[in-house]
Amino acid sequence: MFLQLLTLLTLWSSLGSAHPLSGLASLSTPHFHQPHIFTRLRNGLGKMTPSSWRPVVPSPSHSPDASSYNSPKPSGTFRERYDRDLVLRFNISTEEEASSLAEAVDTLFLDVWEFTPASADIRLAKDVVPSLLGLLPKSMQRAHKPLMHDLAQTVYESLPSSVGTDTGYQPPPLGSRRSFKPSASKDAEETNIFFSDYQPLSVIIPWMRLIQSMFPTHVRIINIGTSYEGRDILGFRVGVHPWNPEEPQKPRKTIIVSGGLHAREWIGVSSVMFAAYSMITSYGKARKMTKLIEEFDWVFIPSLNPDGYVYTWETDRLWRKNAQQTSLRFCKGLDVDRSFGFQWDGERTKGNPCSESFAGDGPFQAVEAQRFANWVKNETDNNNAEIVGYLDLHSYSQQILYPYSYSCINTPPTLENLEEVGLGFSKAIHQAGGEFYGVTSACEGNVFDDSELRHQRKLWPRIESSGGTALDYMYHEMGVKYSYQIKLRDTGNYGFLLPKKNIVPTGKEISAVLNFFGNYLLGNKGVEVIDNSPSSDHVEIKMTKSSDPDKSPSSSNTQEEESILNDINTNWDLKR
């Protein structure tokens, strides 16, 4: 490790010492600048490793979209960041291959996008490929294929239309602003402009305030804490509390749905918001959903890593970590989802802040992980909450993962329940849109030999560390019986760069999961037919402590709604 850092410092001197954040664009007009200094350092280090080169021959069958080559092309400055990189999928079939690949990833500081029991997707510079292959056994020299021929083009097409161009990101025309407001029509989510594309934080925050103002009977915004750069980590609390002063208040059963721990996984952020919106607008219309809102509190946190999310809009679409400063000023950021206190295993990356999985120098060093853990503990200790479920949305690979992540040897005591509900999630997703999601423990996203019996499996070396996750922390430390990490679409054609046409279908999949989960917790084990269609009968909206029978929400909040709509359309450079 000392030699690696010495090499980095040497390269740093040769590349110049300009601060990596110099020239950062404002949120209203993001631009993608020169490659992050570490990207150049990493690539330079890779080229210093001797090896022989075997060319990667692209295949049209692996192209995300053949029509993309006729699409508008990204600008020169945009291409400077991504044009040198590609994403390769390596097939893994032996322990030797797994061990060699894991060591090469550490040596070359490579960006692991995804790994499964049979393969690993890795982003690297094209001129580092010879170095990587030189560290791998002969059996892997041709056991790989490109997932994307043109990473710059794929990144470009994943953004709202004007991001990355010279004009900057522009809001929708004022004439369309009413589309931000909920509609009473069927499948209103599909026609709502908010879900027609990915949204920056400067739009998400006023949108959340708008929703709260329009549905005060069962929605309020909560603040989980502040990020490293001082941004509020906001969420929705959805639920009604039937109030009887003569009865003692029981602990409120609470389900938490979060996204955005890894900044580049935009589909997780949008899916949290879609599921929240679908539930909020169903209250009083769909009998089953109304019951779920009355029986549980649902907490939706779109982004637990707002600093990193903003960074993906302003500077680097493929940024994974938060924005926290490390001991190396040119390698900032901690992996928030490796920073939780249970089975933290950051020793592997402790001396390497440049690693994409850098977990800090100790548990909870990532500010956002500490804030979330503190908030959860306060909810259970002081706010009469009983957290019964936690769903952490990530991408990609279409998997439903349950504890543990840190170990395949230690089995969670509620394994049968976790598998039963996980399979129910998978079935609900398939019924919602036809997609298949696998169900397994989070550790088995690592590679292992295909032994039929769990206790006989010989585990292969991990491609990246997997301790210190929010999943394991919530399950083991906070006692949340049903804790899951759900890796959303797709299986690698686009990876983190999922086109916007998938926002609504993926959101519907998560809505179906929540529908199943709530009914399961109420006693419906998935056998009975769940009727969630609008009823011809009036669905009574129960009075809560905060509601006022003499005031109509639609009339009392009109002025506030107008103000927030103006914020969304004219105040896009929201103070962060």
Side-chain angles (χ1 to χ4, degrees), residues 239-270:
V240 296
H241 298 198
W243 182 42
N244 185 343
E246 297 179 359
E247 295 182 2
Q249 292 292 308
K250 297 179 181 179
R252 182 70 171 174
K253 294 183 183 297
T254 302
I255 295 142
I256 301 172
V257 185
S258 67
L261 272 173
H262 290 149
R264 61 192 175 190
E265 298 168 9
W266 287 7
I267 190 63
V269 176
S270 67

Side-chain angles (χ1 to χ4, degrees), residues 257 270-280 300 507 510-511 514:
V257 185
S270 67
S271 295
V272 171
M273 294 186 292
F274 185 98
Y277 180 83
S278 179
M279 179 175 287
I280 290 166
F300 297 91
I510 297 305
S511 292
L514 299 186

Side-chain angles (χ1 to χ4, degrees), residues 164-344:
T165 70
D166 295 333
T167 60
Y169 184 45
Q170 299 296 327
L174 290 176
S176 65
R177 68 181 192 171
R178 289 293 177 186
S179 297
F180 275 104
K181 297 183 69 174
S183 168
S185 63
K186 184 179 179 181
D187 294 331
E189 302 94 338
E190 296 190 38
T191 59
N192 191 296
I193 193 174
F194 188 79
F195 298 109
S196 66
D197 215 330
Y198 296 105
Q199 304 296 345
L201 195 66
S202 60
V203 176
I204 291 172
I205 291 174
W207 177 82
M208 292 178 69
R209 291 194 287 117
L210 172 64
I211 296 300
Q212 176 185 241
S213 73
M214 298 187 69
F215 301 97
T217 59
H218 56 289
V219 179
R220 67 185 179 93
I221 291 177
I222 57 174
N223 194 335
I224 307 302
T226 55
S227 67
Y228 174 76
E229 293 185 336
R231 294 182 177 87
D232 289 331
I233 304 171
L234 300 181
F236 283 132
R237 187 188 300 276
V238 181
V240 296
H241 298 198
W243 182 42
N244 185 343
E246 297 179 359
E247 295 182 2
Q249 292 292 308
K250 297 179 181 179
R252 182 70 171 174
K253 294 183 183 297
T254 302
I255 295 142
I256 301 172
V257 185
S258 67
L261 272 173
H262 290 149
R264 61 192 175 190
E265 298 168 9
W266 287 7
I267 190 63
V269 176
S270 67
S271 295
V272 171
M273 294 186 292
F274 185 98
Y277 180 83
S278 179
M279 179 175 287
I280 290 166
T281 55
S282 294
Y283 183 61
K285 300 177 184 177
R287 187 175 299 277
K288 288 288 186 180
M289 190 59 71
T290 299
K291 183 174 179 62
L292 295 184
I293 294 174
E294 292 171 349
E295 294 292 332
F296 302 100
D297 270 3
W298 301 82
V299 174
F300 297 91
I301 310 169
S303 178
L304 278 170
N305 178 12
D307 296 348
Y309 186 68
V310 168
Y311 196 80
T312 64
W313 281 83
E314 291 184 344
T315 306
D316 184 357
R317 171 64 182 87
L318 296 176
W319 186 256
R320 168 185 168 103
K321 301 185 285 184
N322 69 2
Q324 196 163 333
Q325 190 56 57
T326 69
S327 57
L328 294 178
R329 71 182 179 92
F330 53 81
C331 289
K332 74 171 185 176
L334 279 70
D335 185 340
V336 182
D337 200 30
R338 297 294 183 272
S339 297
F340 287 83
F342 178 67
Q343 292 295 329
W344 179 86

